[in-house]
Amino acid sequence: MKFLQKLNVFIPVILVLALLWIGLTTLLFESPSEQSTAPQAGFYAPDFTVADDESDPVALSDFEGQAVLLNFWASWCKPCQAEMPAIQHMHDKYGKDGLVILAVNVTNQDSISNAKAFLHDNNLSFDTLFDTKGTASDLYRVQALPTTFFITPDGIINEVVIGGPMSEALLETRILRILGR
Amino acid sequence: MFPIINIGPLAIQAPGLIIIIGLYVWLSINDYSAKKMNLDAATLSNHFFYSLLIGLAGARLAVIAQSPQSFISSPLSIVSPNLALFDFPSGVLITIFAFYIFTTSKKQDLLKTLDVLSLGFMVFLAFLALSFLANGKLYGTPANLPWSIELWGAKRHPLQLYYLIAFFLLAYPIYRLLHTKQPSGMIILSSLSFISASVIFLDAFRGSQALITAGVHLPQIIAFMALAFSLFGIKSLLNKEMIFSEQEING
């Protein structure tokens, strides 16, 4: 009985304290405002510059205002090979809708000749970049291949998919999201 | 952050592995708890396991329902092992619903069954927090403290660790309740109150903008409602227990 009486006091006290803490959080704690850059969903995608197949520099910021699928791959990576046809199909289907596909070859762990041979043998026509010094893959903390970043037109990473191969359905659902459909 | 564990040629996704280990630990603890509370451990394990399978299928169906055209043009994707093709919130709801159906259809005491699951669930939540530490999600607000961790370009509250420690510590009072005679429902309501209180306190340190509107943290609001429900539920249980005891004494 006494315990129940104590509970009659204890419960409202706990709830009032909880409400006070929620109030403090709302009024005094600084809400997370603009996000900095980081290779994580919810953050702005870090900018980088690497060379294309004609050795011209290409920066991620060159595609500001466009939805970007950023895929890190290597020619020896089996899951990377397996998902390339699906990525090509998405390029054919959504390229005209403003989707940019940047396939960044992790050339510091691969070779340009092998990568180019793979692209040629598989008739892959989307933009391929060569990260010869590993700067982009280090910046994006790529620890497994393939790793794919889906970036919205305002430059925010919508999702990170580590590993593969990604199916067409997975690619399409995520691409439609960053295209705003 | 350690999203990938490299063992020779293998690259294992650490968050997924941690969750699988957490589920296994939860199942194992269920066996122990069921024996303590004189429930059929084998039946409970079966119901739990089948519910998880149904939930997994439901999580995939939810994604298909959201984008049917994508799966019509690529039907093999229906059976893709890729985790990104599971809608986990839907999967959790379907798992809960399936478990409810299994339990009530066998006319088992639902509250007592939930009590049995509570301790394992608390430990599973700790593993879930560890998986968030592995993939860098549920990150904290920037803070320059001796125990801050460097994550996503800033020193931050190690929110994942806060949750990990909270859930491991709170598993102990649940363990103690399991070893004392309690009315059915007491343990699950106590667990719910502990979890809610943890979320109310710790969500203040969350760094992500998601589920925050005009400074109001939606998880805190939901947790507050759950806390109120669980505390009044505990009071109601104790009241009934007291009335029942008085009736027994009075004959």
Side-chain angles (χ1 to χ4, degrees):
Chain A
M1 186 67 163
K2 274 188 181 172
F3 180 71
L4 269 173
Q5 285 170 348
K6 283 182 186 173
L7 215 52
N8 283 333
V9 174
F10 176 74
I11 291 175
V13 166
I14 289 289
L15 292 177
V16 166
L17 284 173
L19 273 174
L20 278 172
W21 178 253
I22 293 171
L24 270 172
T25 306
T26 306
L27 295 169
L28 295 180
F29 277 57
E30 203 178 305
S31 279
S33 53
E34 28 175 274
Q35 297 280 22
S36 52
T37 61
Q40 168 68 324
F43 286 84
Y44 286 101
D47 195 18
F48 61 87
T49 302
V50 290
D52 64 9
D53 57 357
E54 289 174 5
S55 302
D56 292 328
V58 174
L60 179 63
S61 51
D62 293 344
F63 305 98
E64 200 177 317
Q66 293 180 273
V68 175
L69 185 161
L70 177 63
N71 175 261
F72 288 88
W73 68 284
S75 62
W76 47 259
C77 157
K78 296 290 182 207
C80 305
Q81 294 171 8
E83 69 183 15
M84 285 300 191
I87 294 176
Q88 179 64 44
H89 188 216
M90 291 298 109
H91 173 70
D92 295 336
K93 195 170 178 182
Y94 294 105
K96 57 188 183 310
D97 295 330
L99 174 71
V100 172
I101 293 180
L102 296 178
V104 178
N105 176 258
V106 186
T107 322
N108 61 323
Q109 298 176 41
D110 197 351
S111 77
I112 291 182
S113 54
N114 286 346
K116 284 186 175 178
F118 177 78
L119 293 168
H120 177 263
D121 293 345
N122 290 277
N123 297 315
L124 302 172
S125 60
F126 42 76
D127 291 329
T128 304
L129 307 175
F130 297 91
D131 188 17
T132 51
K133 291 180 183 163
T135 44
S137 58
D138 282 347
L139 187 62
Y140 277 76
R141 301 196 199 176
V142 174
Q143 296 182 28
L145 293 174
T147 296
T148 309
F149 297 81
F150 294 86
I151 304 169
T152 62
D154 49 9
I156 294 175
I157 297 174
N158 183 262
E159 188 163 344
V160 182
V161 177
I162 298 175
M166 290 185 292
S167 64
E168 270 197 36
L170 172 57
L171 278 164
E172 190 157 30
T173 52
R174 297 323 191 256
I175 285 167
L176 288 173
R177 216 183 269 175
I178 59 174
L179 285 175
R181 296 192 199 170
Chain B
M1 199 179 99
F2 48 100
I4 302 288
I5 297 172
N6 288 302
I7 302 173
L10 290 176
I12 300 166
Q13 297 216 18
L17 179 64
I18 291 167
I19 288 174
I20 288 169
I21 294 171
L23 282 170
Y24 175 75
V25 170
W26 188 0
L27 263 171
S28 305
I29 292 174
N30 285 347
D31 280 350
Y32 170 81
S33 303
K35 283 165 191 163
K36 274 282 166 213
M37 296 188 73
N38 299 316
L39 274 188
D40 182 354
T43 304
L44 178 70
S45 285
N46 287 341
H47 288 174
F48 188 78
F49 181 69
Y50 293 136
S51 300
L52 279 178
L53 284 181
I54 290 169
L56 207 61
R60 176 54 55 85
L61 286 170
V63 170
I64 294 171
Q66 288 164 39
S67 308
Q69 286 304 321
S70 304
F71 288 87
I72 289 168
S73 57
S74 170
L76 276 179
S77 300
I78 293 170
V79 293
S80 165
N82 202 302
L83 290 179
L85 276 176
F86 289 100
D87 182 345
F88 284 106
S90 301
V92 166
L93 285 173
I94 292 168
T95 302
I96 291 170
F97 182 67
F99 188 77
Y100 171 78
I101 297 293
F102 277 129
T103 307
T104 51
S105 65
K106 297 286 181 190
K107 296 195 182 357
Q108 290 181 320
D109 183 341
L110 181 63
L111 285 178
K112 200 172 182 184
T113 306
L114 291 174
D115 284 345
V116 165
L117 296 178
S118 296
L119 178 60
F121 181 59
M122 198 67 92
V123 174
F124 172 74
L125 287 179
F127 276 91
L128 191 62
L130 184 61
S131 77
F132 285 135
L133 185 66
N135 62 22
K137 292 181 180 173
L138 198 65
Y139 50 90
T141 50
N144 216 348
L145 300 163
W147 59 85
S148 292
I149 55 173
E150 181 84 35
L151 188 59
W152 308 130
K155 281 186 184 274
R156 297 177 182 275
H157 281 286
L159 183 61
Q160 307 97 330
L161 284 177
Y162 293 165
Y163 272 114
L164 174 70
I165 292 166
F167 291 136
F168 262 131
L169 289 176
L170 291 171
Y172 180 69
I174 302 301
Y175 171 80
R176 294 286 304 178
L177 281 173
L178 204 58
H179 288 77
T180 55
K181 197 171 182 314
Q182 300 292 338
S184 291
M186 179 61 79
I187 300 178
I188 183 66
L189 287 173
S190 301
S191 303
L192 184 60
S193 65
F194 292 151
I195 293 166
S196 308
S198 303
V199 171
I200 288 169
F201 182 68
L202 292 175
D203 201 65
F205 304 102
R206 183 163 55 89
S208 152
Q209 291 180 29
L211 302 174
I212 299 177
T213 309
V216 177
H217 290 225
L218 188 59
Q220 284 183 317
I221 304 299
I222 295 170
F224 178 80
M225 291 192 284
L227 179 65
F229 170 80
S230 56
L231 288 176
F232 284 113
I234 288 170
K235 185 184 161 200
S236 171
L237 277 180
L238 288 173
N239 228 1
K240 277 186 203 165
E241 193 75 359
M242 190 193 73
I243 292 168
F244 184 70
S245 302
E246 281 176 357
Q247 281 175 350
E248 271 195 332
I249 289 166
N250 295 332

